[in-house]
Amino acid sequence: MTKKRSKAKGNLGRNIIRDRFKGYHSVQKGERSLAHTSDLNDGQDWARMGNVSVTEQGALDAFIETAALAGTEFTAERANARIVTQFENEALPTRAKVERKKAAQEENESFLRIPRRPAWTRDMSKEELHEKERLSFLEWRRGLADLEQTDDILLTPFERNLDFWRQLWRVIERSDVVVQIVDARNPLLFRCTDLEDYVHEVDPIKRNVLLVNKADLLTLEQRKQWGEYFSKNNVEFVFFSAALEAIKLEEEEEE
């Protein structure tokens, strides 16, 4: 007789929340959510924000949102036209263009940073605080927009919703340890070293930990090599498998 297949799926976030808040009842209307650590008494109910992540926008949507952030009123005018006289296959770039793009990316790497929360004090009103954050975020967006005007720079999708960054800023300020979850199959692709820098900018004694998920997909030798690499580069890390933990939790609940 074959063993019954587990219905649990390897959702790391759900498994962590289930384990952390085991025994708590679900949040009812008017209550505070214990699952959110970013609640601050600054006029926002982050647990019920209900906003949607925005990582990609069309040119018109991006323009309108930037204008809204700046509080600008504008009228439509005829756009400048660009005439393309020579077709260039972007799927098969020349060697010279590849090298040019690589040089441009390396030259502008320092500008590709996560937005920083502007300096604030506890005697600020919520209106003052939100205005400073809005203006700082606007400058960050404008800097990325300037980079996008460079022919040899192509930005990958990034979070454009200010409220999500506000949550991140507050979580970092209130946390002693900040954990980044990366895919074990290519940890460096998903690791954000600038986030680690920002954590130490907020407070040098805060710790960064890299949680290497899907470690069950690596061989023992691969885990050993990654462990040596992280240790050599002074990176705190933990190997983890959400899929295996989900099965373990399910078995414990059945018992």
Side-chain angles (χ1 to χ4, degrees), residues 182-185 187 211-220 222-224 226 237-244:
V182 298
D183 193 313
R185 292 168 292 185
L211 192 150
V212 187
N213 190 32
K214 300 184 181 179
D216 55 304
L217 300 180
L218 302 182
T219 65
L220 179 61
Q222 287 173 325
R223 290 197 295 272
K224 180 180 177 181
W226 276 118
F237 68 97
V238 176
F239 285 118
F240 187 80
S241 170
L244 296 181

mmCIF file with all atom_site columns, all heavy atoms in Angstrom, residues 182-185 187 211-220 222-224 226 237-244:
data_model
loop_
_atom_site.group_PDB
_atom_site.id
_atom_site.type_symbol
_atom_site.label_atom_id
_atom_site.label_alt_id
_atom_site.label_comp_id
_atom_site.label_asym_id
_atom_site.label_entity_id
_atom_site.label_seq_id
_atom_site.pdbx_PDB_ins_code
_atom_site.Cartn_x
_atom_site.Cartn_y
_atom_site.Cartn_z
_atom_site.occupancy
_atom_site.B_iso_or_equiv
_atom_site.pdbx_formal_charge
_atom_site.auth_seq_id
_atom_site.auth_comp_id
_atom_site.auth_asym_id
_atom_site.auth_atom_id
_atom_site.pdbx_PDB_model_num
ATOM 1   N N   . VAL A 1 182 ? 16.072 33.259 -0.275 1.00 0.00 ? 182 VAL A N   1
ATOM 2   C CA  . VAL A 1 182 ? 16.580 33.117 -1.643 1.00 0.00 ? 182 VAL A CA  1
ATOM 3   C C   . VAL A 1 182 ? 16.409 31.675 -2.099 1.00 0.00 ? 182 VAL A C   1
ATOM 4   O O   . VAL A 1 182 ? 16.249 30.762 -1.292 1.00 0.00 ? 182 VAL A O   1
ATOM 5   C CB  . VAL A 1 182 ? 18.070 33.530 -1.738 1.00 0.00 ? 182 VAL A CB  1
ATOM 6   C CG1 . VAL A 1 182 ? 18.244 34.993 -1.374 1.00 0.00 ? 182 VAL A CG1 1
ATOM 7   C CG2 . VAL A 1 182 ? 18.937 32.660 -0.823 1.00 0.00 ? 182 VAL A CG2 1
ATOM 8   N N   . ASP A 1 183 ? 16.440 31.498 -3.396 1.00 0.00 ? 183 ASP A N   1
ATOM 9   C CA  . ASP A 1 183 ? 16.301 30.170 -4.000 1.00 0.00 ? 183 ASP A CA  1
ATOM 10  C C   . ASP A 1 183 ? 17.659 29.488 -4.020 1.00 0.00 ? 183 ASP A C   1
ATOM 11  O O   . ASP A 1 183 ? 18.635 30.043 -4.532 1.00 0.00 ? 183 ASP A O   1
ATOM 12  C CB  . ASP A 1 183 ? 15.752 30.306 -5.424 1.00 0.00 ? 183 ASP A CB  1
ATOM 13  C CG  . ASP A 1 183 ? 15.287 28.980 -6.003 1.00 0.00 ? 183 ASP A CG  1
ATOM 14  O OD1 . ASP A 1 183 ? 16.033 27.989 -5.888 1.00 0.00 ? 183 ASP A OD1 1
ATOM 15  O OD2 . ASP A 1 183 ? 14.179 28.934 -6.579 1.00 0.00 ? 183 ASP A OD2 1
ATOM 16  N N   . ALA A 1 184 ? 17.718 28.281 -3.472 1.00 0.00 ? 184 ALA A N   1
ATOM 17  C CA  . ALA A 1 184 ? 18.990 27.566 -3.360 1.00 0.00 ? 184 ALA A CA  1
ATOM 18  C C   . ALA A 1 184 ? 19.615 27.273 -4.718 1.00 0.00 ? 184 ALA A C   1
ATOM 19  O O   . ALA A 1 184 ? 20.827 27.093 -4.819 1.00 0.00 ? 184 ALA A O   1
ATOM 20  C CB  . ALA A 1 184 ? 18.788 26.254 -2.594 1.00 0.00 ? 184 ALA A CB  1
ATOM 21  N N   . ARG A 1 185 ? 18.814 27.252 -5.777 1.00 0.00 ? 185 ARG A N   1
ATOM 22  C CA  . ARG A 1 185 ? 19.356 26.912 -7.103 1.00 0.00 ? 185 ARG A CA  1
ATOM 23  C C   . ARG A 1 185 ? 20.207 28.031 -7.678 1.00 0.00 ? 185 ARG A C   1
ATOM 24  O O   . ARG A 1 185 ? 21.031 27.790 -8.547 1.00 0.00 ? 185 ARG A O   1
ATOM 25  C CB  . ARG A 1 185 ? 18.203 26.551 -8.049 1.00 0.00 ? 185 ARG A CB  1
ATOM 26  C CG  . ARG A 1 185 ? 17.499 25.257 -7.668 1.00 0.00 ? 185 ARG A CG  1
ATOM 27  C CD  . ARG A 1 185 ? 16.204 25.069 -8.409 1.00 0.00 ? 185 ARG A CD  1
ATOM 28  N NE  . ARG A 1 185 ? 15.193 26.043 -7.998 1.00 0.00 ? 185 ARG A NE  1
ATOM 29  C CZ  . ARG A 1 185 ? 13.938 26.038 -8.427 1.00 0.00 ? 185 ARG A CZ  1
ATOM 30  N NH1 . ARG A 1 185 ? 13.555 25.100 -9.286 1.00 0.00 ? 185 ARG A NH1 1
ATOM 31  N NH2 . ARG A 1 185 ? 13.075 26.943 -8.009 1.00 0.00 ? 185 ARG A NH2 1
ATOM 32  N N   . PRO A 1 187 ? 21.309 31.297 -5.395 1.00 0.00 ? 187 PRO A N   1
ATOM 33  C CA  . PRO A 1 187 ? 21.123 32.235 -4.279 1.00 0.00 ? 187 PRO A CA  1
ATOM 34  C C   . PRO A 1 187 ? 21.550 33.662 -4.594 1.00 0.00 ? 187 PRO A C   1
ATOM 35  O O   . PRO A 1 187 ? 20.884 34.612 -4.188 1.00 0.00 ? 187 PRO A O   1
ATOM 36  C CB  . PRO A 1 187 ? 21.989 31.630 -3.164 1.00 0.00 ? 187 PRO A CB  1
ATOM 37  C CG  . PRO A 1 187 ? 22.183 30.206 -3.544 1.00 0.00 ? 187 PRO A CG  1
ATOM 38  C CD  . PRO A 1 187 ? 22.177 30.174 -5.031 1.00 0.00 ? 187 PRO A CD  1
ATOM 39  N N   . LEU A 1 211 ? 18.299 33.034 4.246  1.00 0.00 ? 211 LEU A N   1
ATOM 40  C CA  . LEU A 1 211 ? 17.623 31.747 4.354  1.00 0.00 ? 211 LEU A CA  1
ATOM 41  C C   . LEU A 1 211 ? 17.584 31.130 2.963  1.00 0.00 ? 211 LEU A C   1
ATOM 42  O O   . LEU A 1 211 ? 16.895 31.623 2.077  1.00 0.00 ? 211 LEU A O   1
ATOM 43  C CB  . LEU A 1 211 ? 16.217 31.914 4.923  1.00 0.00 ? 211 LEU A CB  1
ATOM 44  C CG  . LEU A 1 211 ? 15.521 30.618 5.354  1.00 0.00 ? 211 LEU A CG  1
ATOM 45  C CD1 . LEU A 1 211 ? 14.555 30.877 6.512  1.00 0.00 ? 211 LEU A CD1 1
ATOM 46  C CD2 . LEU A 1 211 ? 14.771 29.968 4.199  1.00 0.00 ? 211 LEU A CD2 1
ATOM 47  N N   . VAL A 1 212 ? 18.355 30.068 2.772  1.00 0.00 ? 212 VAL A N   1
ATOM 48  C CA  . VAL A 1 212 ? 18.491 29.431 1.455  1.00 0.00 ? 212 VAL A CA  1
ATOM 49  C C   . VAL A 1 212 ? 17.426 28.357 1.324  1.00 0.00 ? 212 VAL A C   1
ATOM 50  O O   . VAL A 1 212 ? 17.589 27.222 1.776  1.00 0.00 ? 212 VAL A O   1
ATOM 51  C CB  . VAL A 1 212 ? 19.909 28.845 1.273  1.00 0.00 ? 212 VAL A CB  1
ATOM 52  C CG1 . VAL A 1 212 ? 20.091 28.343 -0.157 1.00 0.00 ? 212 VAL A CG1 1
ATOM 53  C CG2 . VAL A 1 212 ? 20.969 29.885 1.607  1.00 0.00 ? 212 VAL A CG2 1
ATOM 54  N N   . ASN A 1 213 ? 16.297 28.728 0.724  1.00 0.00 ? 213 ASN A N   1
ATOM 55  C CA  . ASN A 1 213 ? 15.157 27.819 0.602  1.00 0.00 ? 213 ASN A CA  1
ATOM 56  C C   . ASN A 1 213 ? 15.348 26.835 -0.557 1.00 0.00 ? 213 ASN A C   1
ATOM 57  O O   . ASN A 1 213 ? 16.183 27.042 -1.427 1.00 0.00 ? 213 ASN A O   1
ATOM 58  C CB  . ASN A 1 213 ? 13.881 28.638 0.399  1.00 0.00 ? 213 ASN A CB  1
ATOM 59  C CG  . ASN A 1 213 ? 12.636 27.771 0.500  1.00 0.00 ? 213 ASN A CG  1
ATOM 60  O OD1 . ASN A 1 213 ? 12.604 26.795 1.241  1.00 0.00 ? 213 ASN A OD1 1
ATOM 61  N ND2 . ASN A 1 213 ? 11.608 28.127 -0.249 1.00 0.00 ? 213 ASN A ND2 1
ATOM 62  N N   . LYS A 1 214 ? 14.571 25.766 -0.549 1.00 0.00 ? 214 LYS A N   1
ATOM 63  C CA  . LYS A 1 214 ? 14.635 24.691 -1.560 1.00 0.00 ? 214 LYS A CA  1
ATOM 64  C C   . LYS A 1 214 ? 15.994 23.996 -1.510 1.00 0.00 ? 214 LYS A C   1
ATOM 65  O O   . LYS A 1 214 ? 16.504 23.526 -2.540 1.00 0.00 ? 214 LYS A O   1
ATOM 66  C CB  . LYS A 1 214 ? 14.357 25.232 -2.967 1.00 0.00 ? 214 LYS A CB  1
ATOM 67  C CG  . LYS A 1 214 ? 12.975 25.866 -3.095 1.00 0.00 ? 214 LYS A CG  1
ATOM 68  C CD  . LYS A 1 214 ? 12.684 26.311 -4.510 1.00 0.00 ? 214 LYS A CD  1
ATOM 69  C CE  . LYS A 1 214 ? 11.300 26.957 -4.594 1.00 0.00 ? 214 LYS A CE  1
ATOM 70  N NZ  . LYS A 1 214 ? 10.989 27.427 -5.949 1.00 0.00 ? 214 LYS A NZ  1
ATOM 71  N N   . ALA A 1 215 ? 16.567 23.913 -0.310 1.00 0.00 ? 215 ALA A N   1
ATOM 72  C CA  . ALA A 1 215 ? 17.871 23.266 -0.167 1.00 0.00 ? 215 ALA A CA  1
ATOM 73  C C   . ALA A 1 215 ? 17.794 21.772 -0.473 1.00 0.00 ? 215 ALA A C   1
ATOM 74  O O   . ALA A 1 215 ? 18.824 21.146 -0.755 1.00 0.00 ? 215 ALA A O   1
ATOM 75  C CB  . ALA A 1 215 ? 18.402 23.480 1.250  1.00 0.00 ? 215 ALA A CB  1
ATOM 76  N N   . ASP A 1 216 ? 16.595 21.215 -0.433 1.00 0.00 ? 216 ASP A N   1
ATOM 77  C CA  . ASP A 1 216 ? 16.434 19.785 -0.744 1.00 0.00 ? 216 ASP A CA  1
ATOM 78  C C   . ASP A 1 216 ? 16.705 19.497 -2.215 1.00 0.00 ? 216 ASP A C   1
ATOM 79  O O   . ASP A 1 216 ? 16.902 18.337 -2.587 1.00 0.00 ? 216 ASP A O   1
ATOM 80  C CB  . ASP A 1 216 ? 15.027 19.315 -0.381 1.00 0.00 ? 216 ASP A CB  1
ATOM 81  C CG  . ASP A 1 216 ? 13.943 20.148 -1.057 1.00 0.00 ? 216 ASP A CG  1
ATOM 82  O OD1 . ASP A 1 216 ? 13.959 21.381 -0.881 1.00 0.00 ? 216 ASP A OD1 1
ATOM 83  O OD2 . ASP A 1 216 ? 13.091 19.562 -1.761 1.00 0.00 ? 216 ASP A OD2 1
ATOM 84  N N   . LEU A 1 217 ? 16.740 20.549 -3.046 1.00 0.00 ? 217 LEU A N   1
ATOM 85  C CA  . LEU A 1 217 ? 17.027 20.358 -4.473 1.00 0.00 ? 217 LEU A CA  1
ATOM 86  C C   . LEU A 1 217 ? 18.526 20.332 -4.756 1.00 0.00 ? 217 LEU A C   1
ATOM 87  O O   . LEU A 1 217 ? 18.928 20.086 -5.891 1.00 0.00 ? 217 LEU A O   1
ATOM 88  C CB  . LEU A 1 217 ? 16.364 21.468 -5.292 1.00 0.00 ? 217 LEU A CB  1
ATOM 89  C CG  . LEU A 1 217 ? 14.837 21.576 -5.177 1.00 0.00 ? 217 LEU A CG  1
ATOM 90  C CD1 . LEU A 1 217 ? 14.315 22.717 -6.036 1.00 0.00 ? 217 LEU A CD1 1
ATOM 91  C CD2 . LEU A 1 217 ? 14.164 20.257 -5.567 1.00 0.00 ? 217 LEU A CD2 1
ATOM 92  N N   . LEU A 1 218 ? 19.338 20.600 -3.739 1.00 0.00 ? 218 LEU A N   1
ATOM 93  C CA  . LEU A 1 218 ? 20.792 20.571 -3.893 1.00 0.00 ? 218 LEU A CA  1
ATOM 94  C C   . LEU A 1 218 ? 21.351 19.265 -3.357 1.00 0.00 ? 218 LEU A C   1
ATOM 95  O O   . LEU A 1 218 ? 20.797 18.661 -2.444 1.00 0.00 ? 218 LEU A O   1
ATOM 96  C CB  . LEU A 1 218 ? 21.436 21.741 -3.136 1.00 0.00 ? 218 LEU A CB  1
ATOM 97  C CG  . LEU A 1 218 ? 21.007 23.161 -3.502 1.00 0.00 ? 218 LEU A CG  1
ATOM 98  C CD1 . LEU A 1 218 ? 21.788 24.164 -2.670 1.00 0.00 ? 218 LEU A CD1 1
ATOM 99  C CD2 . LEU A 1 218 ? 21.218 23.427 -4.987 1.00 0.00 ? 218 LEU A CD2 1
ATOM 100 N N   . THR A 1 219 ? 22.463 18.857 -3.927 1.00 0.00 ? 219 THR A N   1
ATOM 101 C CA  . THR A 1 219 ? 23.160 17.695 -3.390 1.00 0.00 ? 219 THR A CA  1
ATOM 102 C C   . THR A 1 219 ? 23.938 18.109 -2.142 1.00 0.00 ? 219 THR A C   1
ATOM 103 O O   . THR A 1 219 ? 24.121 19.303 -1.872 1.00 0.00 ? 219 THR A O   1
ATOM 104 C CB  . THR A 1 219 ? 24.136 17.122 -4.428 1.00 0.00 ? 219 THR A CB  1
ATOM 105 O OG1 . THR A 1 219 ? 25.168 18.106 -4.688 1.00 0.00 ? 219 THR A OG1 1
ATOM 106 C CG2 . THR A 1 219 ? 23.420 16.797 -5.737 1.00 0.00 ? 219 THR A CG2 1
ATOM 107 N N   . LEU A 1 220 ? 24.403 17.132 -1.411 1.00 0.00 ? 220 LEU A N   1
ATOM 108 C CA  . LEU A 1 220 ? 25.189 17.420 -0.206 1.00 0.00 ? 220 LEU A CA  1
ATOM 109 C C   . LEU A 1 220 ? 26.451 18.193 -0.568 1.00 0.00 ? 220 LEU A C   1
ATOM 110 O O   . LEU A 1 220 ? 26.840 19.145 0.140  1.00 0.00 ? 220 LEU A O   1
ATOM 111 C CB  . LEU A 1 220 ? 25.561 16.107 0.495  1.00 0.00 ? 220 LEU A CB  1
ATOM 112 C CG  . LEU A 1 220 ? 26.404 16.256 1.774  1.00 0.00 ? 220 LEU A CG  1
ATOM 113 C CD1 . LEU A 1 220 ? 25.645 17.068 2.812  1.00 0.00 ? 220 LEU A CD1 1
ATOM 114 C CD2 . LEU A 1 220 ? 26.768 14.875 2.323  1.00 0.00 ? 220 LEU A CD2 1
ATOM 115 N N   . GLN A 1 222 ? 26.878 20.215 -3.147 1.00 0.00 ? 222 GLN A N   1
ATOM 116 C CA  . GLN A 1 222 ? 26.511 21.587 -3.515 1.00 0.00 ? 222 GLN A CA  1
ATOM 117 C C   . GLN A 1 222 ? 26.249 22.438 -2.275 1.00 0.00 ? 222 GLN A C   1
ATOM 118 O O   . GLN A 1 222 ? 26.675 23.584 -2.200 1.00 0.00 ? 222 GLN A O   1
ATOM 119 C CB  . GLN A 1 222 ? 25.279 21.569 -4.418 1.00 0.00 ? 222 GLN A CB  1
ATOM 120 C CG  . GLN A 1 222 ? 25.553 21.075 -5.830 1.00 0.00 ? 222 GLN A CG  1
ATOM 121 C CD  . GLN A 1 222 ? 24.292 20.906 -6.649 1.00 0.00 ? 222 GLN A CD  1
ATOM 122 O OE1 . GLN A 1 222 ? 23.235 20.518 -6.125 1.00 0.00 ? 222 GLN A OE1 1
ATOM 123 N NE2 . GLN A 1 222 ? 24.376 21.197 -7.947 1.00 0.00 ? 222 GLN A NE2 1
ATOM 124 N N   . ARG A 1 223 ? 25.558 21.862 -1.293 1.00 0.00 ? 223 ARG A N   1
ATOM 125 C CA  . ARG A 1 223 ? 25.309 22.605 -0.053 1.00 0.00 ? 223 ARG A CA  1
ATOM 126 C C   . ARG A 1 223 ? 26.620 22.906 0.669  1.00 0.00 ? 223 ARG A C   1
ATOM 127 O O   . ARG A 1 223 ? 26.801 23.989 1.229  1.00 0.00 ? 223 ARG A O   1
ATOM 128 C CB  . ARG A 1 223 ? 24.365 21.822 0.858  1.00 0.00 ? 223 ARG A CB  1
ATOM 129 C CG  . ARG A 1 223 ? 22.935 21.747 0.352  1.00 0.00 ? 223 ARG A CG  1
ATOM 130 C CD  . ARG A 1 223 ? 21.963 21.349 1.440  1.00 0.00 ? 223 ARG A CD  1
ATOM 131 N NE  . ARG A 1 223 ? 22.202 20.003 1.930  1.00 0.00 ? 223 ARG A NE  1
ATOM 132 C CZ  . ARG A 1 223 ? 21.677 18.909 1.401  1.00 0.00 ? 223 ARG A CZ  1
ATOM 133 N NH1 . ARG A 1 223 ? 20.879 18.991 0.355  1.00 0.00 ? 223 ARG A NH1 1
ATOM 134 N NH2 . ARG A 1 223 ? 21.945 17.727 1.912  1.00 0.00 ? 223 ARG A NH2 1
ATOM 135 N N   . LYS A 1 224 ? 27.530 21.963 0.606  1.00 0.00 ? 224 LYS A N   1
ATOM 136 C CA  . LYS A 1 224 ? 28.828 22.172 1.246  1.00 0.00 ? 224 LYS A CA  1
ATOM 137 C C   . LYS A 1 224 ? 29.589 23.318 0.584  1.00 0.00 ? 224 LYS A C   1
ATOM 138 O O   . LYS A 1 224 ? 30.161 24.174 1.268  1.00 0.00 ? 224 LYS A O   1
ATOM 139 C CB  . LYS A 1 224 ? 29.649 20.882 1.162  1.00 0.00 ? 224 LYS A CB  1
ATOM 140 C CG  . LYS A 1 224 ? 31.029 20.982 1.811  1.00 0.00 ? 224 LYS A CG  1
ATOM 141 C CD  . LYS A 1 224 ? 31.788 19.667 1.683  1.00 0.00 ? 224 LYS A CD  1
ATOM 142 C CE  . LYS A 1 224 ? 33.190 19.794 2.267  1.00 0.00 ? 224 LYS A CE  1
ATOM 143 N NZ  . LYS A 1 224 ? 33.962 18.526 2.124  1.00 0.00 ? 224 LYS A NZ  1
ATOM 144 N N   . TRP A 1 226 ? 28.322 25.840 -1.213 1.00 0.00 ? 226 TRP A N   1
ATOM 145 C CA  . TRP A 1 226 ? 27.670 27.113 -0.912 1.00 0.00 ? 226 TRP A CA  1
ATOM 146 C C   . TRP A 1 226 ? 27.942 27.540 0.530  1.00 0.00 ? 226 TRP A C   1
ATOM 147 O O   . TRP A 1 226 ? 28.147 28.723 0.810  1.00 0.00 ? 226 TRP A O   1
ATOM 148 C CB  . TRP A 1 226 ? 26.157 27.015 -1.144 1.00 0.00 ? 226 TRP A CB  1
ATOM 149 C CG  . TRP A 1 226 ? 25.751 27.244 -2.570 1.00 0.00 ? 226 TRP A CG  1
ATOM 150 C CD1 . TRP A 1 226 ? 25.134 26.363 -3.408 1.00 0.00 ? 226 TRP A CD1 1
ATOM 151 C CD2 . TRP A 1 226 ? 25.927 28.446 -3.322 1.00 0.00 ? 226 TRP A CD2 1
ATOM 152 N NE1 . TRP A 1 226 ? 24.922 26.935 -4.642 1.00 0.00 ? 226 TRP A NE1 1
ATOM 153 C CE2 . TRP A 1 226 ? 25.388 28.215 -4.618 1.00 0.00 ? 226 TRP A CE2 1
ATOM 154 C CE3 . TRP A 1 226 ? 26.485 29.691 -3.047 1.00 0.00 ? 226 TRP A CE3 1
ATOM 155 C CZ2 . TRP A 1 226 ? 25.397 29.187 -5.618 1.00 0.00 ? 226 TRP A CZ2 1
ATOM 156 C CZ3 . TRP A 1 226 ? 26.488 30.663 -4.044 1.00 0.00 ? 226 TRP A CZ3 1
ATOM 157 C CH2 . TRP A 1 226 ? 25.951 30.409 -5.305 1.00 0.00 ? 226 TRP A CH2 1
ATOM 158 N N   . PHE A 1 237 ? 23.916 32.338 7.204  1.00 0.00 ? 237 PHE A N   1
ATOM 159 C CA  . PHE A 1 237 ? 22.982 31.637 6.329  1.00 0.00 ? 237 PHE A CA  1
ATOM 160 C C   . PHE A 1 237 ? 22.393 30.421 7.028  1.00 0.00 ? 237 PHE A C   1
ATOM 161 O O   . PHE A 1 237 ? 22.953 29.898 7.994  1.00 0.00 ? 237 PHE A O   1
ATOM 162 C CB  . PHE A 1 237 ? 23.687 31.195 5.037  1.00 0.00 ? 237 PHE A CB  1
ATOM 163 C CG  . PHE A 1 237 ? 24.715 30.116 5.255  1.00 0.00 ? 237 PHE A CG  1
ATOM 164 C CD1 . PHE A 1 237 ? 24.389 28.780 5.049  1.00 0.00 ? 237 PHE A CD1 1
ATOM 165 C CD2 . PHE A 1 237 ? 25.993 30.433 5.690  1.00 0.00 ? 237 PHE A CD2 1
ATOM 166 C CE1 . PHE A 1 237 ? 25.335 27.781 5.261  1.00 0.00 ? 237 PHE A CE1 1
ATOM 167 C CE2 . PHE A 1 237 ? 26.945 29.443 5.893  1.00 0.00 ? 237 PHE A CE2 1
ATOM 168 C CZ  . PHE A 1 237 ? 26.620 28.113 5.678  1.00 0.00 ? 237 PHE A CZ  1
ATOM 169 N N   . VAL A 1 238 ? 21.246 29.979 6.502  1.00 0.00 ? 238 VAL A N   1
ATOM 170 C CA  . VAL A 1 238 ? 20.582 28.766 6.985  1.00 0.00 ? 238 VAL A CA  1
ATOM 171 C C   . VAL A 1 238 ? 20.006 28.058 5.775  1.00 0.00 ? 238 VAL A C   1
ATOM 172 O O   . VAL A 1 238 ? 19.318 28.679 4.959  1.00 0.00 ? 238 VAL A O   1
ATOM 173 C CB  . VAL A 1 238 ? 19.448 29.092 7.977  1.00 0.00 ? 238 VAL A CB  1
ATOM 174 C CG1 . VAL A 1 238 ? 18.721 27.820 8.394  1.00 0.00 ? 238 VAL A CG1 1
ATOM 175 C CG2 . VAL A 1 238 ? 19.978 29.822 9.200  1.00 0.00 ? 238 VAL A CG2 1
ATOM 176 N N   . PHE A 1 239 ? 20.270 26.771 5.633  1.00 0.00 ? 239 PHE A N   1
ATOM 177 C CA  . PHE A 1 239 ? 19.630 25.982 4.584  1.00 0.00 ? 239 PHE A CA  1
ATOM 178 C C   . PHE A 1 239 ? 18.244 25.564 5.074  1.00 0.00 ? 239 PHE A C   1
ATOM 179 O O   . PHE A 1 239 ? 18.062 25.202 6.239  1.00 0.00 ? 239 PHE A O   1
ATOM 180 C CB  . PHE A 1 239 ? 20.464 24.744 4.245  1.00 0.00 ? 239 PHE A CB  1
ATOM 181 C CG  . PHE A 1 239 ? 21.698 25.049 3.436  1.00 0.00 ? 239 PHE A CG  1
ATOM 182 C CD1 . PHE A 1 239 ? 22.957 24.774 3.942  1.00 0.00 ? 239 PHE A CD1 1
ATOM 183 C CD2 . PHE A 1 239 ? 21.602 25.606 2.178  1.00 0.00 ? 239 PHE A CD2 1
ATOM 184 C CE1 . PHE A 1 239 ? 24.099 25.056 3.204  1.00 0.00 ? 239 PHE A CE1 1
ATOM 185 C CE2 . PHE A 1 239 ? 22.730 25.898 1.432  1.00 0.00 ? 239 PHE A CE2 1
ATOM 186 C CZ  . PHE A 1 239 ? 23.982 25.615 1.950  1.00 0.00 ? 239 PHE A CZ  1
ATOM 187 N N   . PHE A 1 240 ? 17.265 25.598 4.160  1.00 0.00 ? 240 PHE A N   1
ATOM 188 C CA  . PHE A 1 240 ? 15.883 25.331 4.557  1.00 0.00 ? 240 PHE A CA  1
ATOM 189 C C   . PHE A 1 240 ? 15.132 24.731 3.385  1.00 0.00 ? 240 PHE A C   1
ATOM 190 O O   . PHE A 1 240 ? 15.477 24.962 2.222  1.00 0.00 ? 240 PHE A O   1
ATOM 191 C CB  . PHE A 1 240 ? 15.210 26.642 4.989  1.00 0.00 ? 240 PHE A CB  1
ATOM 192 C CG  . PHE A 1 240 ? 13.839 26.476 5.571  1.00 0.00 ? 240 PHE A CG  1
ATOM 193 C CD1 . PHE A 1 240 ? 13.674 26.079 6.883  1.00 0.00 ? 240 PHE A CD1 1
ATOM 194 C CD2 . PHE A 1 240 ? 12.699 26.735 4.803  1.00 0.00 ? 240 PHE A CD2 1
ATOM 195 C CE1 . PHE A 1 240 ? 12.402 25.925 7.426  1.00 0.00 ? 240 PHE A CE1 1
ATOM 196 C CE2 . PHE A 1 240 ? 11.432 26.588 5.333  1.00 0.00 ? 240 PHE A CE2 1
ATOM 197 C CZ  . PHE A 1 240 ? 11.288 26.187 6.655  1.00 0.00 ? 240 PHE A CZ  1
ATOM 198 N N   . SER A 1 241 ? 14.095 23.948 3.703  1.00 0.00 ? 241 SER A N   1
ATOM 199 C CA  . SER A 1 241 ? 13.220 23.400 2.660  1.00 0.00 ? 241 SER A CA  1
ATOM 200 C C   . SER A 1 241 ? 11.779 23.571 3.107  1.00 0.00 ? 241 SER A C   1
ATOM 201 O O   . SER A 1 241 ? 11.323 22.900 4.030  1.00 0.00 ? 241 SER A O   1
ATOM 202 C CB  . SER A 1 241 ? 13.521 21.917 2.411  1.00 0.00 ? 241 SER A CB  1
ATOM 203 O OG  . SER A 1 241 ? 12.517 21.354 1.576  1.00 0.00 ? 241 SER A OG  1
ATOM 204 N N   . ALA A 1 242 ? 11.064 24.478 2.472  1.00 0.00 ? 242 ALA A N   1
ATOM 205 C CA  . ALA A 1 242 ? 9.667  24.714 2.820  1.00 0.00 ? 242 ALA A CA  1
ATOM 206 C C   . ALA A 1 242 ? 8.813  23.482 2.523  1.00 0.00 ? 242 ALA A C   1
ATOM 207 O O   . ALA A 1 242 ? 7.878  23.172 3.263  1.00 0.00 ? 242 ALA A O   1
ATOM 208 C CB  . ALA A 1 242 ? 9.135  25.918 2.045  1.00 0.00 ? 242 ALA A CB  1
ATOM 209 N N   . ALA A 1 243 ? 9.145  22.775 1.446  1.00 0.00 ? 243 ALA A N   1
ATOM 210 C CA  . ALA A 1 243 ? 8.369  21.587 1.076  1.00 0.00 ? 243 ALA A CA  1
ATOM 211 C C   . ALA A 1 243 ? 8.471  20.513 2.153  1.00 0.00 ? 243 ALA A C   1
ATOM 212 O O   . ALA A 1 243 ? 7.464  19.932 2.565  1.00 0.00 ? 243 ALA A O   1
ATOM 213 C CB  . ALA A 1 243 ? 8.861  21.053 -0.264 1.00 0.00 ? 243 ALA A CB  1
ATOM 214 N N   . LEU A 1 244 ? 9.683  20.255 2.636  1.00 0.00 ? 244 LEU A N   1
ATOM 215 C CA  . LEU A 1 244 ? 9.869  19.239 3.673  1.00 0.00 ? 244 LEU A CA  1
ATOM 216 C C   . LEU A 1 244 ? 9.244  19.672 4.996  1.00 0.00 ? 244 LEU A C   1
ATOM 217 O O   . LEU A 1 244 ? 8.688  18.853 5.729  1.00 0.00 ? 244 LEU A O   1
ATOM 218 C CB  . LEU A 1 244 ? 11.360 18.949 3.861  1.00 0.00 ? 244 LEU A CB  1
ATOM 219 C CG  . LEU A 1 244 ? 12.087 18.347 2.650  1.00 0.00 ? 244 LEU A CG  1
ATOM 220 C CD1 . LEU A 1 244 ? 13.552 18.082 2.984  1.00 0.00 ? 244 LEU A CD1 1
ATOM 221 C CD2 . LEU A 1 244 ? 11.405 17.065 2.179  1.00 0.00 ? 244 LEU A CD2 1
#
